[in-house]
Amino acid sequence: MAYPMQLGFQDATSPIMEELLHFHDHTLMIVFLISSLVLYIISLMLTTKLTHTSTMDAQEVETVWTILPAIILIMIALPSLRILYMMDEINNPFLTVKTMGHQWYWSYEYTDYEDLSFDSYMIPTSELKPGELRLLEVDNRVVLPMEMTIRMLISSEDVLHSWAVPSLGLKTDAIPGRLNQTTLMSTRPGLFYGQCSEICGSNHSFMPIVLELVPLKYFEKWSASML
């Protein structure tokens, strides 16, 4: 999860988030080079009196500043499209979890089990135990197996919500009457926090998401105890 005064992204926990971080660094380097070149040219224009009378109508210059931006856009677009298709791809999910947004809590249903569903409410500040995080802890965590492909079906029963977990690279809108889907896979166990990322009313800030990723044998024990 994020820590105070953090400027960058959270540590990647899924392959998709790792790809997003690499794409971010790739694009940021291109932006940095463009900004440096523009700043250098502006500084030259302000500090030197040397001019070339035929520069502004030179065919070579116009060709370069037309082709170069096109090449840069292609260098950005191709990795971006690759990641978009990776995020939409779903191959043989191990488990399907249906998530419904409400004002102002989440409900979860493990559709592969006959009767495994629960609501997840934020724990009020007055009831927090030592070490628990304000506005982020819930009474029922979503327990999932790590290193398994999980399909999340996301919708809403009232207004627009958004189910987002930054460290997993997840952000999917919960829309009434529409079922969106996304996939997640954690490469390591742990607790991963998220929040509703769509303004949904007065208590929008009070519907956190907590995923608990555990090894498969612990998930089987948990699911057996919940049935």
Side-chain angles (χ1 to χ4, degrees):
M1 61 171 293
Y3 53 84
M5 304 299 292
Q6 180 174 344
L7 297 179
F9 290 100
Q10 297 182 25
D11 292 339
T13 309
S14 67
I16 291 295
M17 189 57 189
E18 291 178 1
E19 293 287 340
L20 289 172
L21 288 177
H22 293 156
F23 175 68
H24 169 266
D25 296 341
H26 166 74
T27 308
L28 194 64
M29 182 56 65
I30 293 176
V31 172
F32 175 75
L33 293 175
I34 293 173
S35 303
S36 301
L37 178 61
V38 172
L39 183 62
Y40 175 69
I41 293 174
I42 291 175
S43 64
L44 284 182
M45 293 176 64
L46 294 176
T47 56
T48 182
K49 295 182 179 180
L50 299 176
T51 57
H52 198 289
T53 55
S54 62
T55 297
M56 299 308 296
D57 56 358
Q59 188 70 33
E60 294 81 3
V61 174
E62 293 185 4
T63 303
V64 170
W65 71 37
T66 301
I67 295 178
L68 191 59
I71 294 174
I72 293 173
L73 289 176
I74 292 173
M75 291 174 60
I76 295 174
L78 291 180
S80 175
L81 290 173
R82 173 176 166 270
I83 296 175
L84 278 175
Y85 279 102
M86 288 176 61
M87 294 175 70
D88 285 338
E89 188 174 353
I90 299 176
N91 289 323
N92 300 322
F94 173 80
L95 185 69
T96 299
V97 180
K98 183 179 178 182
T99 304
M100 297 295 292
H102 307 266
Q103 289 182 310
W104 286 271
Y105 65 95
W106 298 98
S107 61
Y108 299 94
E109 179 184 351
Y110 291 69
T111 59
D112 298 283
Y113 293 83
E114 187 172 340
D115 187 21
L116 179 51
S117 60
F118 53 84
D119 297 331
S120 182
Y121 289 87
M122 186 194 76
I123 299 178
T125 304
S126 58
E127 299 178 12
L128 289 175
K129 299 176 182 177
E132 292 185 334
L133 302 170
R134 178 178 172 270
L135 301 183
L136 288 177
E137 298 291 348
V138 296
D139 55 355
N140 290 308
R141 295 170 175 170
V142 183
V143 181
L144 297 170
M146 58 175 285
E147 296 180 337
M148 300 285 182
T149 302
I150 312 297
R151 176 172 58 186
M152 303 296 299
L153 301 177
I154 300 167
S155 187
S156 172
E157 285 197 354
D158 37 49
V159 298
L160 290 175
H161 300 279
S162 185
W163 198 80
V165 183
S167 59
L168 290 167
L170 298 175
K171 186 179 185 298
T172 304
D173 289 339
I175 303 172
R178 176 170 178 170
L179 201 61
N180 292 328
Q181 71 174 2
T182 187
T183 58
L184 66 91
M185 184 180 71
S186 174
T187 55
R188 55 190 170 91
L191 289 178
F192 306 104
Y193 294 87
Q195 291 177 302
C196 177
S197 297
E198 187 73 45
I199 297 177
C200 56
S202 59
N203 289 336
H204 158 69
S205 302
F206 308 112
M207 47 186 304
I209 302 158
V210 182
L211 303 184
E212 184 175 351
L213 277 299
V214 298
L216 180 59
K217 61 179 182 180
Y218 294 106
F219 171 77
E220 292 174 342
K221 290 180 181 178
W222 173 84
S223 60
S225 66
M226 294 289 290
L227 294 174

